[in-house]
Amino acid sequence: AAYIFILASPLFVLCEAWIQDKPLPSCVRSGITWDSSHIISTEIEVATPEDCQSNCLEMDSCAGFTWLSDNSPVFAHGCLMFSEIKEELVCEECISGTPKCLCTVQGECMEQDMNMIQAITEVPSIDECESHCQGNSNCTFYTYFDNSHPALRYLCLLFNKCDTLDEECDGCITGTTECHVCTFENTVDDSCKLCDPDWSEFEGSCYKLLDSNGQHYDGRDACNAECIMAGGML
């Protein structure tokens, strides 16, 4: 039999420190919810956790959401929105999260070539640091030092570019204002699973082995037709 590897998606564009086209894992988590006394809105027949998250984002007072899975004994595909999300509670068929997943990675954006445009002290959260970046038309990246950093806690640095990332910096989180976030379903072990179950991943692309059901291919066109049917391109 003739075996052919098929390319299903283009390679991501890589930069030195930040793979901007590479999807980031979802921040949505399974198995938790919050105190039901803080529910401010409920919706039914919401198809996915991401749809529920979008509904929460559109509501100013929504601090978090819970989506009930297909296997929930009650209110399957229900979307609950909360005004407060302080104490987490165990809930087996619950998938929950904040209104928005931040585009962040561990590490500090390094200052070079005059790329830092502003330093803001006493910033209480990474969300507010991101807001400072979004409010500055020259800002595309930011680094936030959280309360675990030994010296620079609550400092927010704004950058117009980020060519080098120090991934060893403890208590440092670097983000960008726009990114693509993986769905909850495609997030596995805090990583974004790019390929469908019957595809294999290699260096940011998806491949599939086609064997024409054990028969030789008559030519490239026959191989290409099977490839397209499988969702790829030769």
Side-chain angles (χ1 to χ4, degrees):
Y3 294 91
I4 298 175
F5 285 100
I6 305 300
L7 177 65
S9 63
L11 289 172
F12 293 119
V13 177
L14 303 181
C15 64
E16 289 183 40
W18 188 280
I19 309 174
Q20 287 183 279
D21 291 340
K22 184 175 181 179
L24 295 176
S26 174
C27 65
V28 176
R29 300 163 55 200
S30 63
I32 66 157
T33 188
W34 298 282
D35 189 338
S36 60
S37 67
H38 297 300
I39 294 175
I40 53 175
S41 179
T42 61
E43 297 182 6
I44 61 172
E45 297 182 357
V46 178
T48 68
E50 289 71 34
D51 290 337
C52 186
Q53 185 180 41
S54 295
N55 294 344
C56 179
L57 182 62
E58 292 175 356
M59 183 179 294
D60 291 339
S61 55
C62 183
F65 71 92
T66 288
W67 182 81
L68 298 170
S69 74
D70 298 341
N71 298 323
S72 176
V74 293
F75 207 41
H77 287 197
C79 178
L80 314 176
M81 283 166 274
F82 296 79
S83 60
E84 185 177 298
I85 54 171
K86 290 183 178 179
E87 183 181 354
E88 294 182 357
L89 303 176
V90 176
C91 179
E92 289 187 5
E93 299 302 333
C94 293
I95 298 171
S96 304
T98 54
K100 179 182 177 182
C101 293
L102 295 178
C103 305
T104 58
V105 295
Q106 180 67 36
E108 176 188 3
C109 183
M110 302 303 293
E111 183 179 359
Q112 56 188 174
D113 300 327
M114 305 289 289
N115 64 332
M116 192 175 78
I117 56 178
Q118 191 175 3
I120 308 168
T121 59
E122 300 301 322
V123 177
S125 68
I126 189 172
D127 300 82
E128 189 165 327
C129 185
E130 184 201 32
S131 296
H132 282 298
C133 185
Q134 289 179 333
N136 189 317
S137 60
N138 294 319
C139 180
T140 55
F141 293 90
Y142 58 90
T143 290
Y144 182 69
F145 300 86
D146 64 23
N147 61 0
S148 67
H149 194 275
L152 301 175
R153 60 178 62 94
Y154 305 128
L155 176 66
C156 175
L157 304 179
L158 307 185
F159 301 87
N160 56 25
K161 63 178 182 177
C162 185
D163 292 332
T164 305
L165 188 71
D166 177 12
E167 297 179 347
E168 301 301 318
C169 180
D170 293 329
C172 307
I173 303 170
T174 293
T176 185
T177 52
E178 294 184 7
C179 68
H180 173 59
V181 177
C182 242
T183 63
F184 169 79
E185 183 179 8
N186 288 335
T187 300
V188 180
D189 296 329
D190 293 326
S191 296
C192 194
K193 189 172 183 284
L194 303 178
C195 306
D196 291 335
D198 56 343
W199 291 74
S200 299
E201 183 179 348
F202 179 71
E203 293 187 351
S205 293
C206 300
Y207 298 84
K208 187 173 185 178
L209 187 66
L210 301 180
D211 65 356
S212 189
N213 295 320
Q215 304 298 316
H216 288 284
Y217 287 100
D218 294 331
R220 178 184 174 87
D221 290 343
C223 178
N224 190 45
E226 186 176 348
C227 174
I228 292 172
M229 288 182 63
M233 60 183 181
L234 187 61

